[in-house]
Amino acid sequence: EAHVQTRSCKFPWRMVTNSGQDNGVIRPVIGERGWAFFPGSSMKGAFLRACKELGSEVEVLQFCGGKGQDGELHPGCLRFHGGYPKDAEWLDDSLVDVVHPQEAWQLDGQKSSALIQISLYQPTFVFGLSSTRLLTEAEWEMVWKVWQAALERGLGSRVSAGYGQIATHTGNKLVGFGLSGQGAASRRIDRNDKVGEFRPNLFKAALRGHTRRLFSGIADEDTATQMTKLLWGGIGKGQNAMVGLLGIAFNAPELELEQWVGTNRNNRVPVYKTGDATLDILLMRSTLKPEQRDELKSFVIRLVKFSMLLG
């Protein structure tokens, strides 16, 4: 509609919106005509969290609504129309996303089953906003500044593992590393199982595993597990589920995927070359004091160095 202002956003890897499960498969939020979309309610939630960090109480109340100092509820002026894929190109890529946890097997020798979810590969989304009153140019500038901060926090599910992250981060970036390398890529499970895909969530898995190894050398098993969850999050029942302090975002604009062919022509393995890439370690919570943030940054730098030494 003409009164709706929009902004597009390109996600360099995958994005998943979790609307529940069917037979163990995590399905996305589906809108009109079967198109996956990002709901307006979720968009408002992401905007509200960012607005509380960047804006004043007056701006939070003005844009999102809530209870004022007079004790009365006031409606916000913004209307959140959600986000839709810009085009149909997302249908041409594999929607089947296999997640295979490795921590239990690598560290505890326990078997773990692969999980399946439906996610969009490198989609471009268009997000819409409108207002019930006429906003000034400065107010719209503030609105989109807040929305940019919300995008940097990640949208959808599993954002700490790189899903739903954009290419650039400023406010929540703890430390960044330049990386360049090559290796065997994952295979997609779709109509062409020879197609490879570089999966940035391997960085979180590796750093999480090394964190657990380090803590296991100085503490008992339960303490090491709990401290690892504190930093990287973890799933579980009740109070065992935890949102971690840290997350990752990987951007490789020059990424190349190829096929390695062995002596047997049927032996084909997808391989990748990252080119000049960046790995950002993100702070997923903004409640830390400056000195705590500095200590956490120092720990992450040493953790990455430790990981590189182990190869």
Side-chain angles (χ1 to χ4, degrees):
E1 298 180 13
H3 68 286
V4 178
Q5 292 204 23
T6 61
R7 291 290 188 277
S8 61
C9 174
K10 171 75 172 181
F11 295 94
W13 186 42
R14 288 186 174 271
M15 178 187 179
V16 56
T17 55
N18 187 348
S19 69
Q21 296 185 18
D22 286 321
N23 296 323
V25 178
I26 297 174
R27 64 175 183 268
V29 181
I30 301 296
E32 188 179 0
R33 298 179 182 177
W35 276 53
F37 78 107
F38 191 75
S41 57
S42 298
M43 185 179 178
K44 180 178 181 179
F47 184 95
L48 177 60
R49 287 191 295 272
C51 194
K52 287 181 176 179
E53 295 178 12
L54 295 181
S56 63
E57 292 184 6
V58 174
E59 288 170 322
V60 172
L61 189 64
Q62 171 188 336
F63 291 146
C64 302
K67 184 179 290 187
Q69 294 182 349
D70 55 4
E72 300 293 328
L73 290 176
H74 299 269
C77 67
L78 292 181
R79 295 296 177 263
F80 299 85
H81 299 271
Y84 285 84
K86 186 176 182 179
D87 47 45
E89 290 185 1
W90 62 278
L91 292 169
D92 298 330
D93 275 300
S94 174
L95 298 175
V96 179
D97 183 8
V98 179
V99 182
H100 198 168
Q102 298 290 307
E103 182 179 6
W105 172 66
Q106 291 185 6
L107 298 179
D108 300 324
Q110 301 175 2
K111 293 183 179 180
S112 58
S113 301
L115 308 174
I116 297 178
Q117 62 187 11
I118 305 300
S119 62
L120 278 63
Y121 182 72
Q122 296 184 343
T124 297
F125 267 64
V126 178
F127 297 94
L129 281 170
S130 64
S131 175
T132 57
R133 69 173 180 82
L134 186 64
L135 297 182
T136 65
E137 184 175 341
E139 287 175 320
W140 272 117
E141 184 177 344
M142 179 62 183
V143 166
W144 290 117
K145 179 181 178 181
V146 172
W147 179 241
Q148 178 64 25
L151 287 174
E152 292 185 358
R153 293 288 177 185
L155 296 185
S157 303
R158 306 195 71 228
V159 293
S160 66
Y163 287 82
Q165 295 288 355
I166 61 176
T168 58
H169 296 80
T170 53
N172 66 330
K173 177 180 174 180
L174 184 65
V175 61
F177 302 92
L179 297 177
S180 180
Q182 58 186 351
S186 300
R187 280 182 175 175
R188 294 185 182 177
I189 307 299
D190 57 7
R191 55 184 175 271
N192 183 358
D193 63 1
K194 302 298 182 183
V195 175
E197 178 182 330
F198 182 84
R199 301 180 62 81
N201 55 351
L202 65 88
F203 291 113
K204 181 183 177 181
L207 293 173
R208 181 188 178 90
H210 290 318
T211 300
R212 171 81 178 277
R213 291 182 179 93
L214 285 172
F215 286 148
S216 295
I218 59 175
D220 61 79
E221 183 178 351
D222 290 341
T223 302
T225 300
Q226 192 65 18
M227 291 301 297
T228 302
K229 277 190 175 184
L230 175 65
L231 291 177
W232 297 104
I235 59 176
K237 297 180 180 180
Q239 297 180 352
N240 290 326
M242 185 180 298
V243 177
L245 290 171
L246 300 173
I248 65 101
F250 184 72
N251 186 35
E254 303 172 2
L255 180 70
E256 296 181 3
L257 287 167
E258 301 174 351
Q259 289 282 342
W260 176 84
V261 182
T263 53
N264 182 349
R265 291 290 179 179
N266 293 325
N267 184 18
R268 295 174 178 268
V269 178
V271 294
Y272 68 85
K273 294 180 180 179
T274 64
D276 292 332
T278 56
L279 173 65
D280 290 334
I281 306 300
L282 309 178
L283 194 59
M284 305 305 293
R285 285 190 261 165
S286 58
T287 55
L288 295 184
K289 298 177 180 179
E291 57 270 22
Q292 293 175 317
R293 184 183 177 119
D294 291 340
E295 290 175 356
L296 190 58
K297 179 178 178 179
S298 178
F299 170 78
V300 169
I301 292 174
R302 286 169 169 78
L303 175 65
V304 172
K305 289 181 178 180
F306 174 75
S307 302
M308 291 180 175
L309 288 174
L310 295 183

